[in-house]
Amino acid sequence: VNRVPVALARAPYDVIVGLHALDEVADLVAGRRAVGVVTQDGIPPEYAEHVSRALGARGILVEQFRIGDGEATKSLATVEALTREFAASGLLRGDAVVAVGGGVVGDTTGFAAAVFHRGIDVVQVPTTLLAQVDAAIGGKTAVNLPEGKNLVGAFHQPLGVVADTGTLATLPPREYASGLGEVAKYALIEESLTGETTVVDLLRISLDDVLARNPEVLAELVTACAGIKAHVVAADEEERSGVRATLNYGHTLAHALETNAGYDLLHGEAVAIGLAFAGHLAGALERIGPAEVDRHLRLVMSLGLPSAVPGGDDIDPDELIAAMRRDKKASGGLTFVLRGPNGIERVDDPAPTAVAAALGAVGVGG
Ligand SMILES: NC(=O)c1ccc[n+]([C@@H]2O[C@H](COP(=O)([O-])OP(=O)(O)OC[C@H]3O[C@@H](n4cnc5c(N)ncnc54)[C@H](O)[C@@H]3O)[C@@H](O)[C@H]2O)c1
């Protein structure tokens, strides 16, 4: 397995990546009295079973908990139900929980752990590509309110993150492709952040293996992406300095597409379109040349992801612009994270003609 350090001052931890990495969970909670394992209907039960058996073999009391599937499960109602089950099973302040699943399980369990007994330890065991490269790392936990996504949450760093790339074999194809949307983001921001091109190089050399989900190649890819996320999280643990905003590359349009109900896009699909848009917009603002714009499009398409908004003809560009103004990074204006001569940086209120041209280039408004 590979170990990616998340170098936080208070409680550093590792992202442990590899085929059969599930075996590493027991070491992270060794010596605990009891551990709750939380998973989800719809995820093959063998992952949580594997973890539970390994914990039981160390003499740890193990209880399993299941939550429902889908974004609607990420709610305060689920947190109440889950923490009541924790209490009923007798989990105490010094015990721990393990979240086995995608971002929905990780965010909900992470938040429940942050508030149960005012905070118990959590191990994140991401089983989607999106969660392995992004959601499980960095300690952001939250649930949704009817008023908006992720509105109630906490920073609660895990004891460790265990990303077993073997679990990705059972992921539905569209969920896998969605995770590749975040991988494409890392490919486009890595050089500007760390000076390295690991993700781009891996995708160039091993694209077919990535698409075929070769678990060894995926271990390298997830390790590289986790390294980028870890780098940013360590530099800006609680999103105060703005460094962490670079992770929002492609996300301004993506969030607007996701919040405008009816677009029916998975997060990574929306991010892929957002990346294409970020390329077009930087091009229209002459921050990058046509070859660099083209690189954004080719990358997204090579991963089988959309580079234009499905049904975009019927969308009013002004509606999307209004939604982008409501983005949490923006303070009334329009804020993007764009590539340019100084690398990736925040750009406020770009020329409206450039925004219109870039929206047109991703097929919005026909
Ligand atoms: N905390 C963060 O920093 C952060 C970052 C990005 C996204 N998120 C959150 O993550 C969530 C999305 O996460 P996601 O994309 O993992 O979606 P998800 O958790 O909904 O999982 C997608 C689907 O795949 C299924 N699944 C998971 N693992 C599987 C496996 N190995 N085999 C078969 N099926 C499997 C799930 O049951 C679900 O139906 C959103 O709620 C988003 O807000 C959080």
Side-chain angles (χ1 to χ4, degrees), residues 170-194:
T170 52
L171 204 56
R174 201 172 158 205
E175 295 292 346
Y176 182 70
S178 173
L180 290 175
E182 291 291 347
V183 170
K185 176 193 78 181
Y186 289 117
L188 291 167
I189 66 174
E190 181 179 15
E191 196 171 8
S192 164
L193 274 172
T194 66

Side-chain angles (χ1 to χ4, degrees), residues 40-44 47 69 71 74 102-105 107 127-128 130-131 134-135 140 149-150 167 170-172 175 229:
Q40 185 178 47
D41 306 330
I43 297 178
Y47 307 137
D69 194 3
E71 192 62 32
K74 247 179 73 168
V104 166
V105 174
D107 277 13
T127 63
T128 65
L130 184 118
D134 185 7
K140 272 169 66 172
K149 270 196 66 166
N150 297 327
T167 63
T170 52
L171 204 56
E175 295 292 346
K229 174 105 189 211

Side-chain angles (χ1 to χ4, degrees), residues 186-205 221 224-225 228 295 339:
Y186 289 117
L188 291 167
I189 66 174
E190 181 179 15
E191 196 171 8
S192 164
L193 274 172
T194 66
E196 293 178 53
T197 57
T198 330
V199 180
V200 169
D201 294 344
L202 256 167
L203 291 177
R204 191 180 53 240
I205 298 163
L221 187 67
C225 293
I228 300 167
R295 189 168 80 94
R339 205 169 241 289

Side-chain angles (χ1 to χ4, degrees), residues 53 63 78 101 114 194 198 293 295 325 343:
R53 267 199 311 276
E63 185 135 4
T78 304
T194 66
T198 330
V293 178
R295 189 168 80 94
R325 278 185 200 285

